[in-house]
């Protein structure tokens, strides 16, 4: 590939541009009126305005994106994460325009985007799934019957859901009765489909996922796990690799299950198999994300591999160059998602970044989307940057992260760095002793 269009913005656009530069590939960026001043626009070889700030008029405007891609004669389109990255119609249109989509085939995106279908596929492939239904639930009456069979608490989920939206935990029948129709309506509004299913709610669980990579030529490898259990509203805030919870036995079983999952759909390019892990170490398939993950840098830091480069190479038709036994997990890495938000209520706090200072330290990588003077727009995800801290061991990571946030400065808007300082000072976190309920249990999250 000689030229790539990046159908995204901010931090991830900058991340992809850096690898393009290293590979001698020209990068074409796109920006909305809200983003014209952001660093990635200047960093790209060329940048084009795509429209007004609302996503439908800019980053989700498929025709406009394809028009620029064709006019610029790009060889590939990288969708980043979010936006069009898991939109199979987009991926199909890109391929039909004679341009490589830097991600899996549109058929696989389509198949894994539907959580019910994904559960069915994984069940048939022998991958353990969360106990629950593998057929859509048609109405409240059926939902109550199924929930009784499974046993409360349960998780009511939209088959099309994502980003922590379209799911609700129900502890008893009254709460299910209260939640069913509104969750269905919300799913319809957000994702255009109200197909629902029910899972057993796994209490005291951790979210641990496996990074996988396929080349579409028969080779599939895993790049070990990420523990993403520190969450707010079912969304990740801190991720780390290795997981402090996994021992060699469970790690091996989980990586085998992830490879099995990937083989079941002949996966190509980068993907993530998400598992929910119960207290007893039993793990269950949650979903597969058919894209580069926000938290991919922790995997890059412990494996020493550039996942975006791999994505571009595989999309160019090259086979994977490393065998499974040539990929090692070395040292420890932790990612902190710095958001423009109130650290206690998690409500977005858009506005102008007046000052922004990231201390420079050995082993700290900042994947950022903004510089001082920029506006954090209310139109998009309020993530400002990802701070990736690495060391030879977890203890070193914790100390380094503390030192980082101690020196870190941001003024003009609210951000969640005080939350990171509280988490880093917590005994249980320091011991690696945490579940997805950590922020609520520690009362670091105000009920909203
Ligand atoms: P992951 O599963 O990769 O950890 P999440 O589900 O937390 O990621 O985040 C993906 C989400 O990132 C999207 O649903 C969207 O809300 C958000 N997003 C999309 N594009 C961007 C971007 N350029 N910068 C920051 N966040 C983004
Ligand atoms: P999304 O597509 O929004 O990422 P997931 O199914 O991956 O949805 O779930 C997101 C998060 O919600 C998980 O990381 C976990 O914290 C929580 N969760 C989802 N399903 C369950 C479940 N059955 N039991 C307990 N927690 C769950
Ligand atoms: Mg998920």
């Amino acid at each position: 590939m000689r030229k790539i269009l990046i159908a995204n913005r901010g931090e991830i656009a900058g991340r992809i541009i850096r690898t393009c530069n290293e590979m001698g590939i020209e990068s074409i960026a796109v920006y909305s009126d809200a983003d014209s001043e952001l660093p990635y626009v200047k960093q790209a070889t060329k940048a084009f305005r795509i429209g007004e700030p609302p996503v439908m008029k800019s980053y989700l405007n498929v025709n406009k994106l394809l028009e620029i891609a064709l006019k610029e004669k790009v060889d590939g389109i990288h969708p980043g994460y979010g936006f069009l990255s898991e939109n199979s119609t987009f991926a199909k249109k890109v391929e039909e325009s004679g341009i490589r989509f830097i991600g899996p085939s549109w058929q696989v995106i389509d198949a894994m985007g539907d959580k019910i279908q994904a559960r069915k596929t994984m069940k048939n492939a022998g991958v353990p799934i969360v106990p629950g239904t593998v057929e859509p639930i048609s109405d409240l009456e059926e939902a109550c019957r199924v929930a009784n069979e499974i046993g409360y608490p349960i998780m009511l989920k939209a088959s099309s859901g994502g980003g922590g939206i379209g799911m609700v935990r129900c502890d008893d029948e009254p709460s299910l009765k209260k939640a069913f129709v509104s969750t269905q309506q919300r799913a319809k509004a957000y994702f255009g489909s109200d197909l629902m299913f029910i899972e057993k709610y796994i209490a005291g669980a951790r979210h641990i996922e496996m990074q996988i990579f396929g080349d579409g030529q028969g080779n599939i490898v895993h790049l070990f796990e990420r523990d993403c259990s520190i969450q707010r509203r079912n969304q990740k805030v801190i991720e780390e690799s290795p997981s402090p919870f996994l021992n060699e036995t469970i790690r091996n079983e989980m990586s085998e299950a992830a490879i099995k999952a990937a083989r079941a759909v002949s996966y190509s390019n980068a993907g993530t198999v998400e598992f929910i892990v119960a207290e007893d170490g039993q793990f269950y398939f949650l979903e597969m994300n058919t894209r580069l993950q926000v938290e991919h840098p922790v995997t890059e830091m412990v494996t020493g591999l550039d996942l975006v480069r791999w994505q571009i190479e595989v999309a160019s038709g090259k086979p994977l160059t490393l065998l499974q036994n040539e990929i090692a997990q070395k040292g420890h890495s932790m990612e902190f998602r710095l958001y423009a938000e109130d650290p206690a209520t998690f409500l977005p706090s858009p506005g102008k970044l007046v000052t922004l200072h990231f201390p420079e330290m050995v082993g700290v990588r900042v994947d950022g989307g903004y510089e001082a003077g920029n506006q954090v727009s209310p139109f998009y995800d309020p993530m400002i940057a990802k701070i990736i801290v690495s060391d030879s061991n977890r203890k070193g990571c914790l100390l380094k992260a503390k030192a980082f946030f101690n020196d870190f400065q941001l003024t003009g808007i609210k951000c969640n760095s005080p939350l990171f300082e509280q988490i880093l000072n917590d005994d249980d976190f320091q011991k690696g002793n945490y579940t997805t309920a950590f922020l609520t249990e520690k009362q670091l999250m105000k009920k909203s």
Side-chain angles (χ1 to χ4, degrees), residues 97-113:
S97 310
I99 299 169
R100 294 286 170 87
F101 180 78
I102 304 175
S105 70
W106 66 266
Q107 291 93 339
V108 170
I109 298 177
D110 198 37
M112 292 296 108

Side-chain angles (χ1 to χ4, degrees), residues 115 130 154-155 157 161-165 167 199-203 205-207 228-229 231 234-236 274-276 286-287 289 291 436:
K115 291 186 180 183
V130 185
I154 57 105
M155 196 74 139
K157 283 191 182 179
I165 299 164
M167 71 174 86
E199 280 176 4
K200 174 95 191 144
Y201 182 88
I202 312 291
R206 301 179 76 120
H207 171 118
C228 313
S229 304
Q231 301 184 347
N234 303 318
Q235 284 175 322
K236 304 157 186 170
E274 296 191 332
F275 295 99
I276 190 111
L286 262 185
E287 64 161 343
N289 290 328
R291 57 173 160 88
T436 56

Side-chain angles (χ1 to χ4, degrees), residues 364-383:
V364 176
R365 160 176 167 187
V366 178
D367 281 18
Y370 298 86
E371 59 195 12
N374 288 156
Q375 290 278 341
V376 177
S377 155
F379 287 98
Y380 317 113
D381 188 282
M383 193 170 74

Side-chain angles (χ1 to χ4, degrees), residues 8-13 79-83 86 162-164 207 209 228 234-236 239 272 274 287 289 291-296 335 337 339 380-384:
N8 213 301
R9 63 179 295 280
E11 175 276 314
I12 192 60
Y81 50 74
F83 295 132
E86 294 181 280
H207 171 118
E209 59 187 31
C228 313
N234 303 318
Q235 284 175 322
K236 304 157 186 170
E239 304 97 347
T272 294
E274 296 191 332
E287 64 161 343
N289 290 328
R291 57 173 160 88
L292 187 68
Q293 204 91 345
V294 176
E295 57 276 19
H296 75 278
E335 175 182 276
R337 296 193 192 187
Y339 282 103
Y380 317 113
D381 188 282
M383 193 170 74
I384 300 168

